[in-house]
């Protein structure tokens, strides 16, 4: 068997944030399966260490809201998957300013700080892949999610800037824009909305979350991970500065 085909990322080092669950976990597993050594970055120590041991990676426990902790992350990643995120739902006039700041720090400032440290390594090797797990909310807005929508739009801008700067060095930078993915973050939203609206959880999915999609189901984390893996392949070397919706037709409206 041609090992370069079976393990195309052998010899590469990847860093995945928010890697202990959901999309991040699926991305870490997919990249490791393709041969990459993965830094499993997460605030949850136990799950991060369990995953790292299972995939042959290294757990890095860090609070991405702490700039000092972000600046202490490894700087030798050839692949960076900026995935960590959190959500808070409230109208703008009631949105807690400290929560807004926290979301920007984790979802915008941390990716910037990570790339600021890792891009020199990628430039030196003349190869790199930046995959930013954005959202359909990086392309469209929804009411009551001002901090999340703002952060994802900012991540889109950062991604495009890195694409332009990194191109001469063989570095690509792209965003993946999922709709609602079956993750712990979304499961919590389902339960909260069911309580708020006084309706069963399955109705929340059908009537609220899937209202704007043509494909009436949640996306699985592995589907997002497979696109992330493809963006790290040689086949995707000419794709950069792009935003790739995985949204079941949401943005087709």
């Amino acid at each position: 068997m041609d090992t370069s085909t079976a393990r195309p990322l052998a010899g590469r080092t990847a860093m995945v944030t928010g890697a202990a669950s959901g999309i991040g976990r699926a991305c870490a597993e997919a990249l490791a399966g393709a041969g990459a050594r993965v830094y499993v970055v997460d605030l949850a120590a136990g799950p991060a260490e369990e995953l790292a041991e299972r995939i042959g990676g290294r757990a890095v426990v860090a609070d991405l809201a702490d700039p000092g902790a972000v600046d202490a992350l490894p700087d030798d990643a050839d692949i960076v998957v900026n995935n960590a995120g959190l959500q808070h739902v409230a109208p703008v006039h009631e949105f807690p300013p400290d929560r807004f700041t926290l979301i920007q720090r984790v979802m915008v400032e941390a990716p910037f700080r990570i790339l600021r440290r890792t891009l020199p390594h990628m430039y030196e090797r003349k190869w790199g892949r930046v995959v930013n797990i954005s959202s359909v909310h990086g392309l469209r807005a929804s009411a009551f999610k001002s901090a999340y929508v703002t952060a994802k739009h900012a991540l889109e801008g950062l991604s495009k800037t890195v694409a332009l700067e990194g191109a001469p060095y063989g570095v690509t930078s792209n965003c993946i824009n999922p709709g609602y993915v079956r993750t712990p973050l979304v499961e919590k939203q389902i339960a909260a909305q069911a309580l708020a609206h006084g309706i069963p959880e399955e109705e929340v999915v059908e009537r609220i979350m899937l209202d704007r999609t043509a494909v009436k189901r949640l996306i699985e984390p592995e589907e997002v991970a497979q696109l992330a893996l493809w963006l790290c392949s040689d086949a995707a070397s000419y794709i950069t500065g792009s935003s790739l919706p995985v949204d079941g037709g949401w943005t087709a409206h």
Side-chain angles (χ1 to χ4, degrees):
M1 179 181 289
D2 183 353
T3 56
S4 65
T5 302
R7 294 172 64 81
L9 297 180
R12 304 293 187 189
T13 299
M15 178 185 296
V16 182
T17 66
S21 66
I23 295 171
R25 185 183 187 93
C27 286
E29 291 171 338
L31 293 168
R37 174 174 173 262
V38 181
Y39 291 121
V40 177
V41 180
D42 206 285
L43 187 58
E49 289 162 0
E50 177 274 325
L51 176 61
E53 182 176 357
R54 182 162 56 80
I55 66 174
R58 176 185 153 197
V60 182
V61 180
D63 180 359
L64 299 188
D66 177 2
V70 178
D71 288 345
L73 292 174
D75 62 2
D76 61 342
D78 307 295
I79 298 164
V80 169
V81 180
N82 285 310
N83 165 74
L86 64 157
Q87 179 65 280
H88 187 87
V89 179
V92 170
H93 67 284
E94 296 176 359
F95 210 100
D98 59 340
R99 196 70 178 168
F100 187 94
T101 299
L102 172 67
I103 289 173
Q104 307 316 306
R105 183 158 284 173
V106 171
M107 295 170 57
V108 183
E109 185 177 341
F112 159 74
R113 287 180 176 273
I114 288 169
L115 293 174
R116 183 176 180 273
R117 286 173 51 76
T118 55
L119 282 172
H121 170 77
M122 298 184 199
Y123 291 171
E124 184 178 350
R125 297 195 71 177
K126 302 296 183 185
W127 192 94
R129 295 289 186 268
V130 178
V131 180
N132 298 299
I133 306 300
S134 181
S135 165
V136 70
H137 284 116
L139 306 173
R140 300 286 190 272
S142 287
F144 311 120
K145 297 180 178 179
S146 57
Y148 189 87
V149 171
T150 297
K152 291 302 189 184
H153 275 68
L155 185 63
E156 296 278 332
L158 176 63
S159 182
K160 289 177 173 62
T161 301
V162 172
L164 297 178
E165 293 183 9
Y169 303 96
V171 175
T172 66
S173 176
N174 293 286
C175 285
I176 298 177
N177 302 79
Y180 286 104
V181 184
R182 194 184 304 279
T183 65
L185 183 70
V186 167
E187 297 287 357
K188 287 178 185 176
Q189 289 185 60
I190 294 171
Q193 296 226 25
L195 189 61
H197 293 281
I199 59 176
E201 291 190 5
E202 56 269 22
E203 273 193 56
V204 172
V205 175
E206 293 170 11
R207 285 174 43 189
I208 299 173
M209 292 188 166
L210 301 181
D211 177 57
R212 286 170 283 189
T213 67
V215 181
K216 298 299 184 182
R217 66 172 177 83
L218 297 177
I219 309 157
E220 299 301 328
E222 292 76 17
E223 295 177 271
V224 180
Q226 285 303 307
L227 180 52
L229 179 60
W230 181 75
L231 285 171
C232 295
S233 72
D234 291 339
S237 63
Y238 201 69
I239 298 175
T240 195
S242 295
S243 300
L244 306 173
V246 187
D247 65 356
W250 183 332
T251 54
H253 287 285

